[in-house]
Amino acid sequence: MFIIRARYIFLCDECFTILENKAFVFDERILECGEFELLRDKYPQAKLVQTPPNSLILPAFINTHTHLEFSANAYTLHYGDFLVWLKSVMSARSALSEQAKDELILRTIRTMQQSGTGTVGEISSFGGDLRACAKSSARIVFFNELLGVNSAQNATKQAEFLTRFRKSKDLAHERFIPAVSLHSTYSTNRALAEFLLNLAQKEGLLVSTHFLESQHESAWLRQGRGKFKQWLRFADDNPRPNYSIKDFVKLFKGQRTLFTHCVYAKDDEFTLFDKNLHFITHCAFSNRLLSRKTFDLKAALRHKMSVNLGTDGLSSNISLSMLDEMRANLLIHSDFKDLSELARILLLMATRNAAKALNLELGEIKAGKIADFSVFEVGNLLANAENSAHKNPPKKDTNSKAHKTQSLANQTLSQLPLQFILNAQFASKLFIAGKQINLAR
Ligand code: MCF
Ligand code: FE
């Protein structure tokens, strides 16, 4: 059992409470939060974890969408248009996955941990990432991917998929959770999709899918036209979309699913999702490289969708750090006029919302939650806030001196989430289920 204290704690609860000079006790789970002295007296057996002077503790980040098998990519793939990218993937994917040996994947996961990530949602295309993911110290939801448009090949595809899926089940443990991914609308046929979703339902598996990512996919699903028609001629002389947008979402009825991208979802299409079971994974950097459009975060939130953050793979990003991804989000979502508010929203997307999507009891600093958290060292704030529990700053206005001092303190603290996203690079400590991870570079 351990006790840890920090100058600041981001609880990542719904109203983004920031605690000052508080502590918590934990083993595998967080046992209690509060005053350091009181907790030390109540839990005399708890060992003190040393923290840097200006420390900030927050839940470990959850990167809900990566493709670690593509980790060797840097100069290989082509960007600017989805189909141009896809063509380059088709010609380079075997070579890239060949280069992504266990060592590279483990090193890449270590880099993610160094930037404060505790959990990864890994989309596994070939199973080349299986061993490394299962033995890594990270918490990994391992989405075994299935794709195939030509129904004549369904039996082969299913058999090959089941072999990979069973191997992942054989290696399952508390931190390694097998799941499934239906690649997309344009790369699967309905029978294959039904096969996968039946399996997911029967075995209670999490599901992930790429959805409405490019203008080509949007035109294809809506009008049966555009560049996908040409692309899909490799499988069929006269290809037609396998689903309407509505029918595709319907396939996931009753199924906990992460819909990745949704860049081309129209405002009223957010109503198709089940708000309790369907979640959107937003990959801002990847969208800039492949999708030609920014995801409408405001519209999704207006429709009460729960949105989480993913980096996508190094196949469409230059970094798997959630901090870099949040910085990209700060730049891209210029329609959020209140930057501090956007910063808080992004931090919740990277923690609490992601945990909810993946059905994991973490993502918050709260008694009862699994103790996945990171410690960062932050700089000095302009003024030391005097209040010890800060919720979103009050909007009230009075002229009293006391109120002005208090309001500067509140304002300073309310800048901290934004300052943190702007400046933070490396965690000084990372705990997963209460165990400290070796972050040595
Ligand atoms: O999320 C990005 C873009 N959208 C779709 N797929 C992928 C992404 N990054 C990697 N991929 C993989 C995908 O899992 O590329 C292949 C699949 O295995 C493309 S389809 C042959
Ligand atoms: Fe992806």
Side-chain angles (χ1 to χ4, degrees):
M1 184 184 292
F2 297 93
I3 182 164
I4 193 164
R5 68 201 301 192
R7 179 80 176 90
Y8 307 103
I9 302 178
F10 290 172
L11 295 185
C12 290
D13 57 349
E14 200 173 1
C15 56
F16 209 91
T17 306
I18 302 174
L19 300 183
E20 272 196 280
N21 296 316
K22 293 282 185 287
F24 60 89
V25 175
F26 65 96
D27 47 27
E28 256 177 54
R29 291 193 182 241
I30 296 170
L31 299 174
E32 195 171 337
C33 280
E35 297 296 338
F36 175 72
E37 287 74 16
L38 293 179
L39 291 174
R40 198 191 40 195
D41 292 348
K42 185 167 171 190
Y43 300 93
Q45 73 279 37
K47 285 199 198 100
L48 176 67
V49 180
Q50 295 297 334
T51 45
N54 256 351
S55 51
L56 164 68
I57 294 181
L58 79 165
F61 297 131
I62 302 166
N63 185 347
T64 50
H65 191 103
T66 62
H67 297 263
L68 292 168
E69 288 162 302
F70 292 84
S71 293
N73 174 58
Y75 287 85
T76 308
L77 300 177
H78 298 170
Y79 303 126
D81 176 83
F82 187 76
L83 279 166
V84 166
W85 174 83
L86 195 56
K87 252 180 223 149
S88 69
V89 166
M90 297 310 276
S91 55
R93 63 181 179 167
S94 329
L96 285 174
S97 76
E98 185 58 32
Q99 290 167 53
K101 307 249 187 278
D102 288 7
E103 198 214 330
L104 175 62
I105 292 179
L106 285 164
R107 219 182 326 124
T108 310
I109 295 174
R110 171 69 62 92
T111 313
M112 294 167 82
Q113 292 178 322
Q114 285 161 349
S115 56
T117 295
T119 298
V120 178
E122 162 65 357
I123 312 295
S124 173
S125 301
F126 321 107
D129 43 359
L130 174 66
R131 247 178 331 176
C133 286
K135 78 170 182 207
S136 126
S137 58
R139 186 185 301 286
I140 306 232
V141 178
F142 193 77
F143 292 100
N144 292 280
E145 179 179 82
L146 178 59
L147 55 77
V149 269
N150 189 344
S151 31
Q153 291 174 3
N154 278 4
T156 323
K157 295 275 180 188
Q158 289 173 13
E160 184 273 332
F161 167 84
L162 283 174
T163 309
R164 272 188 290 124
F165 174 66
R166 286 186 188 126
K167 279 189 189 158
S168 75
K169 272 186 56 168
D170 288 345
L171 295 179
H173 56 79
E174 216 178 318
R175 280 178 295 96
F176 181 75
I177 305 157
V180 296
S181 160
L182 183 71
H183 178 254
S184 73
T185 58
Y186 53 83
S187 59
T188 59
N189 62 64
R190 189 176 278 269
L192 212 54
E194 281 165 3
F195 157 79
L196 192 75
L197 293 165
N198 283 337
L199 178 79
Q201 198 181 40
K202 214 171 62 199
E203 303 213 11
L205 305 167
L206 283 162
V207 181
S208 179
T209 188
H210 296 88
F211 188 45
L212 287 174
E213 179 176 7
S214 64
Q215 79 275 27
H216 307 299
E217 182 183 354
S218 176
W220 176 240
L221 295 179
R222 293 175 202 286
Q223 293 122 22
R225 289 217 302 255
K227 292 199 174 159
F228 260 120
K229 194 167 177 91
Q230 185 56 36
W231 174 269
L232 289 165
R233 288 224 167 91
F234 76 86
D236 186 336
D237 290 342
N238 185 24
R240 266 179 291 168
N242 286 325
Y243 324 89
S244 69
I245 287 171
K246 204 170 163 185
D247 286 352
F248 187 72
V249 178
K250 232 190 216 165
L251 284 172
F252 300 84
K253 190 166 185 271
Q255 187 62 58
R256 184 174 287 268
T257 305
L258 284 77
F259 290 85
T260 299
H261 302 310
C262 299
V263 173
Y264 286 83
K266 293 195 173 149
D267 204 72
D268 59 333
E269 285 163 352
F270 289 115
T271 60
L272 299 173
F273 295 112
D274 177 336
K275 303 293 180 292
N276 295 316
L277 288 176
H278 294 164
F279 307 91
I280 294 180
T281 297
H282 173 36
C283 306
F285 205 103
S286 173
N287 294 160
R288 182 69 187 100
L289 296 187
L290 311 184
S291 301
R292 298 201 174 173
K293 194 170 178 276
T294 302
F295 169 64
D296 194 345
L297 180 58
K298 268 205 170 157
L301 298 180
R302 209 180 322 112
H303 283 281
K304 304 268 179 280
M305 289 301 300
S306 171
V307 184
N308 52 77
L309 282 187
T311 55
D312 226 334
L314 290 171
S315 28
S316 55
N317 205 329
I318 49 166
S319 161
L320 301 184
S321 157
M322 292 295 278
L323 288 158
D324 288 339
E325 191 64 23
M326 284 187 266
R327 289 188 269 272
N329 272 270
L330 281 179
L331 295 182
I332 268 187
H333 298 294
S334 52
D335 54 338
F336 283 75
K337 298 302 171 210
D338 184 339
L339 257 186
S340 293
E341 189 197 2
L342 177 58
R344 290 192 294 266
I345 291 173
L346 293 172
L347 285 163
L348 292 184
M349 285 163 70
T351 54
R352 190 176 197 266
N353 296 5
K356 186 176 172 205
L358 295 176
N359 209 16
L360 298 171
E361 288 180 77
L362 37 91
E364 263 186 80
I365 305 295
K366 183 180 176 185
K369 295 283 180 187
I370 297 171
D372 281 22
F373 63 91
S374 61
V375 184
F376 281 81
E377 190 170 357
V378 297
N380 278 316
L381 302 195
L382 174 67
N384 285 333
E386 271 148 31
N387 56 334
S388 59
H390 170 91
K391 303 203 188 243
N392 290 334
K395 296 254 191 282
K396 265 193 284 169
D397 201 5
T398 76
N399 277 326
S400 77
K401 197 174 168 207
H403 188 270
K404 278 187 182 146
T405 314
Q406 186 60 41
S407 107
L408 176 66
N410 272 331
Q411 214 175 69
T412 300
L413 208 53
S414 78
Q415 286 273 315
L416 183 57
L418 175 61
Q419 306 279 20
F420 173 64
I421 294 179
L422 290 173
N423 293 293
Q425 299 282 355
F426 300 113
S428 28
K429 289 184 192 321
L430 174 71
F431 291 82
I432 297 182
K435 284 215 173 69
Q436 191 169 347
I437 302 299
N438 177 5
L439 295 179
R441 283 186 223 158

